[in-house]
């Protein structure tokens, strides 16, 4: 089905907030087989929003709008959609009750304009909001579907996952199923060249590659009459990708990130970890903390940015720093060892590098990074030369540090199995 996304809010047009809702909705639509052909952003203006909605209804089967469902005067999405579809707004008793209960729970008194959110277009399907006061609204008009969603991501995301996705799946004539094969250590161009024959021959399932920072994701999507048949179509393609990419694949689950995999492996082995970061300044430990349950494995995160901090907190030798420099294989090795012995953790990751834009030399240009990993009572240090701006170099460092530990744990598992 042809799908269109409209995000509503002058603050988005002004660049005051990042439009993460459009990204999330586009990804969700692609995952369940809805083809997003158009995206647009409209400010809080009734006339322009009405024009955009009319255009969308002429060319798309499903139009999803996010934002503009709040209680204030400039929240116009629902009112505009009702006018375009020539529907009256009527009070929804269930929503009014939910608004009352919401304010009672938070021990606040609702303002008069809060009751505006209990008005819905006549004949619409009301979608309860479990995290706020503005309900979602589904309008089915002349074979077209309009879906109105609250703007705050903490309200929109759970509503879409629990209620909108099941609704959209039920409207699809076929089942659309995807598997996401996620890879580290291989660039997008090389990854694509390794599966060019599969891409050229694709029909159903389809294969698409996506470049991420330090990663490549390959989506395999199948269409079938039911989920079981869709899985049968996907399985041989995923197995072929496993043969070609081997251990570079860290997961085939859409929702699983690299840090999820690393944390899960550490938990499974009963190991704790500490980090010693220089150029990444805490980004590495932050990625680990993204994972629920990370407190089970993360003992401490150290940001040892200066030479003095490296000496004081993780026992890097003064002579090592003087002879080889802070950005060196030798320093990364001592950082990894010192962090483990100082914190009594089982595993450590240490990073030191030149993120730029200044500080590079001919021998060690900007982007030079050393990553040390203490695991199974030994230290491995790898050298990298990244390109990009300061933030990209730091992000690439974090991804490669996590992947280094993942590969070391994988190698240890294989060695045990071969004994």
């Amino acid at each position: 089905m042809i799908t269109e996304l409209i995000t509503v809010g002058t603050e988005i047009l002004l660049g005051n907030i990042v439009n993460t809702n459009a990204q999330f909705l586009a990804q969700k639509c692609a995952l369940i087989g809805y083809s997003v052909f158009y995206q647009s952003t409209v400010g809080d203006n009734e006339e322009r929003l009405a024009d955009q909605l009319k255009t969308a209804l002429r060319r798309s089967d499903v139009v999803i709008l996010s934002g503009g469902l709040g209680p204030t005067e400039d929240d116009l999405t629902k009112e505009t959609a009702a006018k375009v579809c020539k529907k009256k707004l009527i009070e929804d008793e269930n929503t009014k009750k939910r608004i009352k209960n919401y304010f009672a729970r938070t021990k606040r008194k609702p303002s008069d304009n809060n009751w505006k959110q209990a008005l819905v277009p006549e004949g619409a399907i009301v979608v309860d909001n479990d995290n706020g006061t503005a309900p979602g609204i589904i309008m089915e008009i002349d074979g077209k579907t309009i879906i109105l969603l609250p703007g705050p991501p903490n309200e929109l995301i759970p509503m879409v996952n629990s209620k909108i996705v099941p609704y959209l799946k039920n409207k699809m004539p076929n089942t659309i199923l995807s598997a996401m094969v996620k890879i580290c250590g291989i660039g997008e161009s090389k990854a694509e060249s390794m599966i060019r024959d599969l891409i050229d021959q694709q029909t159903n399932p389809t294969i698409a590659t996506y470049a991420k920072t330090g990663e490549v994701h390959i989506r395999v999507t199948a269409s079938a009459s039911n989920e079981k048949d869709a899985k049968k179509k996907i399985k041989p393609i995923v197995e072929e990708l496993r043969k070609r990419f081997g251990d570079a694949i860290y997961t085939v689950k859409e929702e699983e990130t690299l840090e999820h995999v690393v944390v899960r492996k550490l938990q499974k082995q009963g190991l704790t970890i500490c980090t010693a970061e220089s150029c990444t300044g805490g980004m590495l430990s932050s990625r680990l903390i993204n994972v629920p349950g990370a407190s089970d494995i993360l003992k401490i995160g150290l940001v040892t940015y200066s030479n003095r901090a490296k000496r004081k907190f993780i026992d890097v030798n003064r002579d090592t720093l003087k002879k080889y420099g802070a950005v060196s294989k030798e320093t990364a090795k001592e950082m990894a060892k010192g962090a483990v012995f100082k914190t009594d953790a089982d595993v450590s990751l240490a990073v030191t590098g030149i993120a730029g834009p200044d500080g590079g030399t001919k021998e060690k240009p900007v982007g030079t990074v050393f990553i040390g990993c203490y695991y199974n009572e030994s230290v491995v240090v790898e050298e990298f030369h990244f390109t990009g701006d300061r933030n990209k170099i730091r992000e690439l460092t974090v991804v490669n540090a996590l992947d280094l530990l993942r590969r070391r744990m994988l190698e240890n598992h294989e060695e045990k199995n071969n004994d």
Side-chain angles (χ1 to χ4, degrees), residues 15-302:
N16 292 334
I17 63 171
V18 178
N19 190 2
T20 57
N21 284 347
Q23 180 188 34
F24 170 77
L25 291 169
Q27 290 173 341
K28 282 295 176 182
C29 287
L31 192 61
I32 59 178
Y34 280 72
S35 302
V36 176
F37 283 6
Y38 309 97
Q39 288 189 27
S40 60
T41 300
V42 184
D44 300 307
N45 180 280
E46 183 178 347
E47 184 180 350
R48 288 193 289 273
L49 179 55
D51 287 344
Q52 189 61 43
L53 181 54
K54 289 173 185 176
T55 299
L57 289 170
R58 284 195 295 269
R59 64 192 182 187
S60 302
D61 303 304
V62 178
V63 184
I64 304 175
L65 298 94
S66 65
L69 298 184
T72 61
E73 192 174 335
D74 63 350
D75 289 309
L76 301 163
T77 302
K78 176 176 56 184
E79 291 77 6
T80 304
K83 283 184 182 180
V84 168
C85 297
K86 298 178 181 177
K87 295 290 183 180
K88 293 189 300 183
L89 289 173
I90 60 173
E91 190 170 80
D92 180 66
E93 285 297 328
N94 183 59
T95 299
K96 187 174 182 180
K97 183 179 178 181
R98 289 176 67 86
I99 292 172
K100 282 182 180 178
N101 292 338
Y102 176 85
F103 278 97
R105 285 197 310 272
T106 57
K107 297 182 179 179
R108 291 184 293 146
K109 186 178 180 180
S111 302
D112 290 341
N113 58 4
N114 283 116
W115 304 118
K116 168 189 170 184
Q117 295 177 300
L119 298 175
V120 301
E122 192 174 18
I125 300 169
V126 180
V127 182
D128 290 340
N129 185 346
D130 297 326
N131 299 280
T133 54
I137 294 167
I138 300 173
M139 303 170 68
E140 297 174 337
I141 309 290
D142 299 328
K144 306 280 187 171
T145 301
I146 304 171
I147 301 174
L148 311 181
L149 300 170
N154 66 323
E155 298 178 28
L156 179 144
I157 291 172
M159 183 183 290
V160 169
N161 286 334
S162 64
K163 293 160 186 175
I164 302 302
V165 166
Y167 168 84
L168 291 173
K169 280 184 175 180
N170 287 335
K171 290 182 71 68
M172 285 291 291
N174 287 335
T175 295
I176 306 292
L177 199 66
S178 291
M180 185 68 88
V181 178
K182 299 184 180 182
I183 297 166
C184 265
I186 298 175
E188 185 188 21
S189 57
K190 183 178 178 181
E192 188 172 300
S193 69
M194 291 171 68
I195 57 170
R196 172 49 59 188
D197 58 319
L198 299 178
I199 293 173
D200 290 343
Q201 297 165 17
Q202 68 179 330
T203 51
N204 183 19
T206 58
I207 303 167
T209 60
Y210 303 89
K212 305 288 182 179
T213 302
E215 303 182 25
V216 177
H217 295 180
I218 303 174
R219 185 186 295 281
V220 183
T221 305
S223 173
S225 58
N226 56 67
E227 188 172 322
K228 185 178 179 181
D229 288 344
K231 285 181 178 178
K232 282 183 179 179
K233 290 182 178 182
I234 289 172
K235 187 177 179 181
I237 301 297
V238 172
E239 287 178 350
E240 181 61 27
L241 293 174
R242 285 189 185 277
K243 288 178 186 175
R244 298 192 185 194
F245 292 104
D247 292 345
I249 296 174
Y250 70 82
T251 187
V252 294
K253 296 179 181 178
E254 174 84 26
E255 70 282 359
E256 196 164 52
T257 63
L258 181 57
E259 56 263 34
H260 274 94
V261 172
V262 170
V263 169
R264 178 166 45 80
K265 286 182 178 295
L266 288 168
Q267 288 173 329
K268 191 173 181 180
Q269 295 185 24
L271 301 175
T272 58
I273 185 172
C274 63
T275 60
E277 304 180 59
S278 186
C279 62
T280 49
M283 289 177 71
L284 178 54
S285 58
S286 180
R287 279 284 291 266
L288 291 170
I289 291 167
N290 283 342
V291 184
S295 57
D296 295 337
I297 57 96
L298 181 60
K299 229 170 188 187
I300 191 169
L302 298 165

